[in-house]
C-alpha cells in the first residue's frame, strides 16, 4: 500500500511514518520501480503498536528493540516482564506526582477563594 493509504488507515501523518521508517520501527517497507514506498498490510498493525507503546511511555528506542525481538521471534520473557515492571513503576510514580500537584492546586484554589471572599467583605 502507498503511504497515503497507511496514513488514512492509521491516522498517523506521512511525516511521522517516514520518521518511524528512518528510526527502524518500520523495516518491512520496500520500494516500487517508480521509487514509491510500498508498505505491507502488516505495517498498519506495526504503526498501531508503536502508537500504543508510545502512549504507555515507551521510548522509540525501546519500541524498536521490542519490535526487533518480535520480528526475530526471540522475545526474552524475563527481560520483557522486567521492562513492563519498570514502565508500571514509572506510571505509578507519575500518578503519585500528579496527585500531589492536584492537592497543591486545590490548596491554592482554596487560599485564593478565601482571599477573594475577604476582599469582597472589605
Amino acid at each position: 500500500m502507498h503511504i497515503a493509504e497507511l496514513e488514512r488507515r492509521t491516522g498517523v501523518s506521512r511525516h511521522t511514518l517516514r520518521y518511524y521508517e528512518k528510526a527502524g520501527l518500520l523495516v518491512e517497507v520496500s520500494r516500487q520501480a517508480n521509487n514509491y514506498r510500498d508498505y505491507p498490510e502488516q505495517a498498519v498493525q506495526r504503526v498501531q503498536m508503536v502508537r500504543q507503546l508510545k502512549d504507555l511511555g515507551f521510548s522509540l528506542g525501546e519500541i524498536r528493540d521490542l519490535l526487533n525481538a518480535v520480528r526475530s521471534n526471540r522475545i526474552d520473557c524475563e527481560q520483557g516482564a522486567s521492562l513492563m515492571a519498570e514502565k508500571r513503576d514509572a506510571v505509578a510514580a507519575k500518578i503519585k506526582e500528579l496527585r500531589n500537584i492536584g492537592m497543591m492546586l486545590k490548596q491554592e484554589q482554596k487560599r485564593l477563594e478565601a482571599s477573594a471572599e475577604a476582599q469582597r467583605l472589605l
Side-chain angles (χ1 to χ4, degrees), residues 16-34:
T16 300
L17 294 170
R18 287 184 187 125
Y19 179 78
Y20 286 173
E21 186 180 346
K22 287 178 188 174
L25 301 171
L26 294 175
V27 297
E28 300 90 358
V29 183
S30 61
R31 295 283 184 157
Q32 296 176 335
N34 58 6

Side-chain angles (χ1 to χ4, degrees), residues 77-116:
C77 293
E78 186 175 338
Q79 198 174 22
S82 177
L83 181 59
M84 294 299 156
E86 286 175 28
K87 289 301 170 187
R88 192 187 75 237
D89 290 346
V91 167
K94 189 67 165 178
I95 290 170
K96 182 178 179 183
E97 181 182 335
L98 289 170
R99 282 189 177 135
N100 289 338
I101 290 170
M103 288 188 321
M104 181 189 70
L105 291 171
K106 187 175 182 178
Q107 290 170 350
E108 186 62 15
Q109 176 189 355
K110 286 182 179 185
R111 185 191 69 75
L112 290 168
E113 288 170 347
S115 179

Side-chain angles (χ1 to χ4, degrees), residues 46-81:
R46 292 283 190 236
V47 171
Q48 290 170 340
M49 181 186 286
V50 168
R51 300 303 286 183
Q52 289 171 341
L53 291 170
K54 255 185 96 225
D55 289 346
L56 291 171
F58 285 78
S59 71
L60 291 181
E62 291 168 330
I63 295 169
R64 181 180 49 250
D65 292 345
L66 181 62
L67 288 175
N68 287 340
V70 167
R71 287 182 192 107
S72 67
N73 290 323
R74 60 170 176 77
I75 291 180
D76 179 332
C77 293
E78 186 175 338
Q79 198 174 22

